[in-house]
Amino acid sequence: MTINQTSSPPPTTTIIMGTLYQGPPLPLIHDLKVTIENSTLIFSPQESERKSLFLSNIDQVLNFDVQTIHFFTANPDFPPKVATQKIENALRKLLVPYEFLSGRMRLNPDMGRFEFDCNNAGVGFVVASSECTLDEIGDLVYPNPAFGQLVTQRLESLDPDNHPLFIVQVTSFTCGGFAMGLQTNHATFDGISVKTFLENLAALADDKPLATIPCNDRQLLAARSPPRVTFPHPELLKLNTQLGQEAQPNSNVFEDSSRDLDFKVFRLSSDDIFDLKAKAKSGPTTSPKAKITGFNVVSAHIWRCKALSFDAENNSERSSTLLYAVDIRPRLTPPLPPSFAGNAVLTAYATAKCEEIEEAPFSKLVGIVAEGAARMTDEYARSAIDWGELYKGFPNGEFLISSWWRLGFSEVQYPWGKPKYCCPLVCRRKDIILLFPDINEGNMSINNGAVNILVALPRKEMEKFECLFYKYLA
């Protein structure tokens, strides 16, 4: 799930462990003074027969772009010009094993489905420079709208029908550091397969063989024939359209609700998460096998605060549904190869009435969240995929937690070192809450267990959410 950036800057907020306060030491910089120096297309060096690549029902509903930015500090052995050339050369080589990436999204009118036209039409490669240093940019964790200047979202020389599936922009800073901004059509990769792609990019940039040979067989996630929907799927919304046809889903998760929202970043330290786990372990649960993980306790905590801040009338009978993504690679029979280079995540859900969310022990809420992933067996996943064959399905719930927390993009080892920080380009969306890790700096890294939580809500809801957030941490 992706959150697209908007041009209007949110109010500035600084985060510290366990608290949140207004007014950072330095204001956000709003113009990175970026100049585009060169924009081109890169093609696969290997000629191959033009073909169409099947897209699964999961891929079908992910035909939108995702933007991520990877910041690197200066390395005297790899100045930006050298690193840029290595990235370009590695990317060109990667278009052989990732043949589909240099293709184009097409609608097959006979099948009523999207597919990749593997025509080697090229990926975008943009070289840019900024008049700023990384230190002048300041806080990389806070989602600054100016970061949108570090990603190329359109190649103006191309018609919209020829829009690349993948565009890279490398922007050098005056300090010798640089940013690698990626725009990717979500139908190409999920977060796990992006991590594999980045590891392969880093390996080829270092003149090493591929770290992992990608598996491009998306027929592994094809629907059964005939489709067999064996479970109810309240987490999905039925639409009376065929796959590949445009429709506006009547689902909260897809509402563009960026107007008149407060935007805040909350931070849970590793100690906070340890305390939430201890609270979950000490109380009764819905299942003795419920997994008490960092993600489950953080999600349960957010769910309680979001559900109880939603309704000004405090309707205890209202049901609240939390959605989140589950990797189905290891859950299928047989399992998908870890190298599967497509979208292999499905939507899990947790639902309860607000009365239960408010009054139940925290351990029970954690159990309900854990049940969402636990129900994602091979048969449930296949049923959801078959459901998508019959209906164009979108996530359907009160809100979705989109987690970048442990994807590990900042752990990829490039020749010039690991990224200082990696982040998505985000905006204020009421019904998507984003989790992302801490910055890599000294002993601080993804491994310290802390998590940052981006929340956007109307002012009165935000006041209530913030109050509940700290009340339930006590």
Side-chain angles (χ1 to χ4, degrees):
M1 187 62 55
T2 293
I3 314 170
N4 293 321
Q5 182 246 4
T6 60
S7 57
S8 58
T12 55
T13 300
T14 296
I15 47 177
I16 62 175
M17 184 177 295
T19 62
L20 178 148
Y21 63 93
Q22 302 295 327
L26 294 173
L28 291 176
I29 186 169
H30 297 305
D31 184 4
L32 304 186
K33 299 179 181 179
V34 172
T35 301
I36 302 298
E37 299 176 353
N38 188 43
S39 178
T40 188
L41 289 170
I42 296 176
F43 306 96
S44 170
Q46 180 175 299
E47 291 188 13
S48 59
E49 183 180 354
R50 184 172 180 174
K51 62 185 179 183
S52 297
L53 181 69
F54 170 85
L55 297 180
S56 75
N57 292 334
I58 303 174
D59 300 323
Q60 293 291 321
V61 296
L62 296 174
N63 183 21
F64 53 84
D65 292 326
V66 184
Q67 299 88 25
T68 60
I69 306 165
H70 308 250
F71 293 94
F72 298 89
T73 55
N75 182 329
D77 295 329
F78 295 94
K81 188 174 181 179
V82 173
T84 299
Q85 190 62 56
K86 283 187 170 291
I87 292 171
E88 181 178 359
N89 292 340
L91 181 58
R92 182 176 289 106
K93 294 176 184 176
L94 272 183
L95 296 181
V96 176
Y98 291 96
E99 178 184 19
F100 63 87
L101 204 58
S102 62
R104 295 292 183 264
M105 179 71 79
R106 299 284 186 250
L107 177 62
N108 184 323
D110 296 328
M111 301 295 293
R113 297 179 65 93
F114 288 115
E115 58 189 23
F116 287 151
D117 179 6
C118 299
N119 59 357
N120 197 21
V123 301
F125 193 79
V126 178
V127 181
S129 61
S130 166
E131 298 179 23
C132 300
T133 67
L134 275 173
D135 285 343
E136 288 171 340
I137 293 173
D139 187 0
L140 300 181
V141 174
Y142 190 87
N144 189 339
F147 291 169
Q149 299 172 38
L150 304 175
V151 179
T152 297
Q153 300 190 25
R154 291 283 173 187
L155 295 181
E156 299 298 334
S157 60
L158 299 179
D159 294 333
D161 290 344
N162 197 25
H163 180 55
L165 296 172
F166 190 76
I167 303 174
V168 179
Q169 177 180 320
V170 181
T171 305
S172 60
F173 301 113
T174 56
C175 59
F178 67 94
M180 181 174 68
L182 307 181
Q183 165 147 301
T184 313
N185 186 300
H186 202 329
T188 57
F189 298 121
D190 61 14
I192 293 170
S193 49
V194 168
K195 168 78 178 302
T196 301
F197 175 85
L198 293 173
E199 290 172 336
N200 282 329
L201 180 70
L204 294 187
D206 204 18
D207 298 319
K208 295 177 181 178
L210 288 174
T212 304
I213 297 174
C215 170
N216 297 328
D217 183 8
R218 302 191 184 211
Q219 289 282 354
L220 294 171
L221 291 181
R224 297 173 289 196
S225 182
R228 300 196 304 276
V229 179
T230 53
F231 289 88
H233 290 284
E235 76 278 14
L236 298 172
L237 176 71
K238 287 185 180 182
L239 294 177
N240 295 320
T241 56
Q242 297 296 315
L243 285 172
Q245 294 181 351
E246 293 300 322
Q248 289 296 325
N250 182 25
S251 172
N252 287 342
V253 172
F254 282 81
E255 289 179 1
D256 183 5
S257 54
S258 59
R259 296 182 300 275
D260 302 321
L261 297 179
D262 278 3
F263 184 85
K264 292 189 177 182
V265 181
F266 299 83
R267 183 176 187 271
L268 291 176
S269 69
S270 55
D271 288 341
D272 292 327
I273 296 170
F274 178 85
D275 290 343
L276 288 174
K277 285 183 177 180
K279 187 184 297 185
K281 290 175 182 176
S282 65
T285 183
T286 56
S287 170
K289 296 182 180 180
K291 292 185 177 180
I292 301 177
T293 65
F295 176 83
N296 287 345
V297 299
V298 169
S299 297
H301 180 64
I302 294 170
W303 181 27
R304 173 174 264 170
C305 301
K306 179 71 168 63
L308 300 182
S309 63
F310 178 83
D311 191 352
E313 298 179 0
N314 296 317
N315 182 2
S316 61
E317 291 299 308
R318 185 182 69 84
S319 290
S320 172
T321 299
L322 153 71
L323 305 176
Y324 62 94
V326 172
D327 175 26
I328 63 172
R329 288 169 177 80
R331 296 172 182 270
L332 299 181
T333 306
L336 284 181
S339 60
F340 181 78
N343 289 282
V345 293
L346 286 172
T347 304
Y349 71 93
T351 189
K353 289 185 177 182
C354 288
E355 181 179 19
E356 181 179 12
I357 293 172
E358 182 173 18
E359 297 179 0
F362 179 67
S363 55
K364 187 173 182 181
L365 296 185
V366 174
I368 296 173
V369 172
E371 285 174 357
R375 74 168 63 91
M376 195 65 72
T377 60
D378 174 78
E379 180 57 32
Y380 191 95
R382 294 293 179 185
S383 175
I385 292 169
D386 290 357
W387 188 99
E389 190 76 8
L390 302 175
Y391 318 101
K392 186 176 180 178
F394 290 90
N396 183 36
E398 180 180 326
F399 74 106
L400 177 134
I401 291 180
S402 177
S403 179
W404 297 67
W405 183 10
R406 293 195 169 109
L407 287 176
F409 292 170
S410 60
E411 296 302 300
V412 177
Q413 181 69 53
Y414 296 85
W416 44 86
K418 296 179 180 180
K420 179 176 183 178
Y421 195 64
C422 302
C423 61
L425 206 56
V426 301
C427 78
R428 292 168 285 176
R429 287 289 300 271
K430 175 180 178 180
D431 302 303
I432 299 177
I433 291 179
L434 189 71
L435 308 184
F436 62 101
D438 258 337
I439 196 165
N440 275 335
E441 192 152 37
N443 293 326
M444 288 184 65
S445 74
I446 192 172
N447 296 318
N448 75 358
V451 64
N452 296 297
I453 304 161
L454 276 72
V455 181
L457 292 172
R459 181 175 300 276
K460 289 189 178 298
E461 287 184 38
M462 180 63 82
E463 291 173 356
K464 196 168 183 181
F465 181 97
E466 185 173 348
C467 178
L468 294 170
F469 189 88
Y470 297 113
K471 171 185 174 181
Y472 288 121
L473 276 183

